[in-house]
Amino acid sequence: MILNENEIEILEIIEKNGRLPAETIAKLVEKSLEEVQSIIQKLEEQKIIVEYNTIVDWRKVEGHEGVTAMIDVKVTPKRGVGFDEIAKRIYMFKEVKSVYLMSGAYDLSVIIEGKTMSEVGNFVSEKLSTLDSVLSTTTHFILKKYKHDGTIFDQGDEDKRIVVTP
């Protein structure tokens, strides 16, 4: 779908901060509130705006740190549907947060979250590896997030004032 300049500008604003009130967006793009609300509704109905997300630093919530793993998966594509069918089977698991078709040595990249490393290991060995089309997997555990979807973690609350000495 081809979007006009106003629609693209509104999308860029919402992508950076989905919590901005429509009134604020209207002022930023110099349009009426009704126009902005209409554009946002249209973009939602057409599934261009798919969802509004919040990024949470779970390491700071005691007891909810969890484990995130990136799994490289080599699969055999099926005739007529390619990688789509196996990707769908994988993304239907509740543990799976993302699935991407990749170029390179592996076909799919799967991001999963679990409470423990053991839980992630069980998912790989009991659910993912047992699927017919899966040939092999390589699991990488995320040890620390520095930046996610454009958001930098641990920017620190250090004092940025210049030290002045007499």
Side-chain angles (χ1 to χ4, degrees), residues 3 14-15 61 74 93 96 107 126 129 134 138 156 161:
L3 300 179
I14 291 172
E15 185 178 37
V61 181
K74 189 174 284 203
F93 290 115
V96 175
D107 303 307
E126 296 172 13
S129 296
V134 173
T138 301
R161 295 177 290 176

Side-chain angles (χ1 to χ4, degrees), residues 45-78:
E45 287 170 357
Q46 294 177 344
K47 300 292 184 201
I48 293 171
I49 296 176
V50 179
E51 191 173 310
Y52 297 90
N53 286 315
T54 301
I55 298 172
V56 177
D57 189 352
W58 286 106
R59 292 175 308 130
K60 295 182 178 179
V61 181
E62 194 171 321
H64 292 277
E65 296 85 359
V67 176
T68 303
M70 299 173 71
I71 306 166
D72 297 324
V73 185
K74 189 174 284 203
V75 300
T76 303
K78 296 214 174 171

Side-chain angles (χ1 to χ4, degrees), residues 139-152:
T139 303
H140 310 275
F141 288 97
I142 294 177
L143 303 176
K144 182 177 182 180
K145 283 184 187 176
Y146 294 101
K147 185 175 183 178
H148 178 79
D149 284 346
T151 300
I152 298 171

Side-chain angles (χ1 to χ4, degrees), residues 38-133:
S38 174
I39 290 171
I40 291 172
Q41 182 178 357
K42 172 187 155 189
L43 296 170
E44 289 173 344
E45 287 170 357
Q46 294 177 344
K47 300 292 184 201
I48 293 171
I49 296 176
V50 179
E51 191 173 310
Y52 297 90
N53 286 315
T54 301
I55 298 172
V56 177
D57 189 352
W58 286 106
R59 292 175 308 130
K60 295 182 178 179
V61 181
E62 194 171 321
H64 292 277
E65 296 85 359
V67 176
T68 303
M70 299 173 71
I71 306 166
D72 297 324
V73 185
K74 189 174 284 203
V75 300
T76 303
K78 296 214 174 171
R79 177 161 291 171
V81 293
F83 296 100
D84 295 348
E85 185 179 298
I86 188 66
K88 183 177 182 179
R89 288 187 66 195
I90 292 170
Y91 73 61
M92 294 303 289
F93 290 115
K94 68 176 177 49
E95 297 91 345
V96 175
K97 299 303 172 201
S98 304
V99 177
Y100 305 99
L101 179 61
M102 305 296 290
S103 63
Y106 289 89
D107 303 307
L108 299 173
S109 181
V110 179
I111 313 273
I112 72 160
E113 291 179 357
K115 291 181 180 154
T116 64
M117 290 178 89
S118 179
E119 187 177 296
V120 171
N122 288 337
F123 169 79
V124 173
S125 64
E126 296 172 13
K127 294 181 180 177
L128 185 60
S129 296
T130 60
L131 296 175
D132 291 337
S133 297

